[in-house]
Each structure stands twice: as structure tokens, then as C-alpha cells.
Amino acid sequence: MIQSNLFQIDEETPWEDLGNGVQRQIYGHDERIMLVKAKFEAGAVGTLHEHHHTQVTYVDSGVFEMTIGEDKKIIKKGDGYYVPPHIIHGCVCIEPGILIDVFTPHREDFLKS
């Protein structure tokens, strides 16, 4: 079974630079679930994409224009969203911020990068 350590300490958890103003920290996970922090600079784009995972996200800080399927909405600190499997989604960061993503099952592709 693939799993993370029981505790993830922010200053001990490395950021992965994804380029174009986006960084990622991988937190707790096993094969069924994964928590990920994504940091965006203003103007950074979370490119439209889809995956077989269910995703829920909490906006920890910043302002984003979020697209899910045909719906587009401005979201900010304290907001959240749900993305069903295989639905096209992505965002544009309006004010720098952090998104807290939860995926089920875990994002195996994140562990290989």
C-alpha cells in the first residue's frame, strides 16, 4: 500500500515548481485519497483538463476565475468547489492564492512527477 507519513509539516513539505507561476505540495495520501496544496501567482493558469478522480477544493487564499464544465464563477478565500470525474475544469488566478485539493482515488500521476 502506498501512503504518506502520518504527519506532514508545512515547512518540511517541499514545493514542486510546476512552472508558469504554479507550485504544488503533496500532503497526506494513500491509494484512496490525497490532499494537495496548489499555490498560484496572479495570472497563473490551471489549464483546462479532466481526470477520473473526484475532486473537492477549498480556497485558502486568493481570488480565482474557476471553470467547471460550462459553468464559470469567481471564487475567493473561504469558497470551495466539487468536480465530478471526467468533467473539464481549470482556473485563472486573479489574486495570488492557495487552493487545497482533495482527490479520490489518489493522484498517482502526482507521485511520479
Side-chain angles (χ1 to χ4, degrees):
M1 176 181 215
I2 297 171
Q3 72 177 49
S4 65
N5 294 328
L6 295 179
F7 295 95
Q8 299 82 48
I9 308 303
D10 184 54
E11 53 271 354
E12 297 172 7
T13 304
W15 286 96
E16 178 183 358
D17 188 355
L18 304 177
N20 300 314
V22 182
Q23 295 180 17
R24 171 171 66 212
Q25 275 182 317
I26 297 175
Y27 276 72
H29 63 86
D30 63 19
E31 282 128 351
R32 297 168 305 208
I33 194 166
M34 176 179 271
L35 180 74
V36 175
K37 261 171 73 172
K39 184 183 343 181
F40 290 78
E41 296 175 8
V45 175
T47 305
L48 289 171
H49 64 286
E50 63 88 21
H51 43 71
H52 72 272
H53 312 83
T54 298
Q55 176 180 343
V56 291
T57 298
Y58 173 77
V59 183
D60 184 60
S61 61
V63 178
F64 298 83
E65 180 184 76
M66 185 68 206
T67 301
I68 303 172
E70 300 296 318
D71 295 319
K72 194 176 280 193
K73 189 171 281 290
I74 302 296
I75 56 175
K76 61 184 178 356
K77 179 180 174 70
D79 296 337
Y81 59 88
Y82 164 74
V83 182
H86 301 292
I87 299 297
I88 299 285
H89 60 285
C91 66
V92 175
C93 182
I94 298 168
E95 294 178 14
I98 292 177
L99 300 177
I100 308 294
D101 298 322
V102 177
F103 299 98
T104 185
H106 76 289
R107 292 292 304 260
E108 188 175 329
D109 55 323
F110 286 5
L111 298 175
K112 292 179 180 178
S113 54

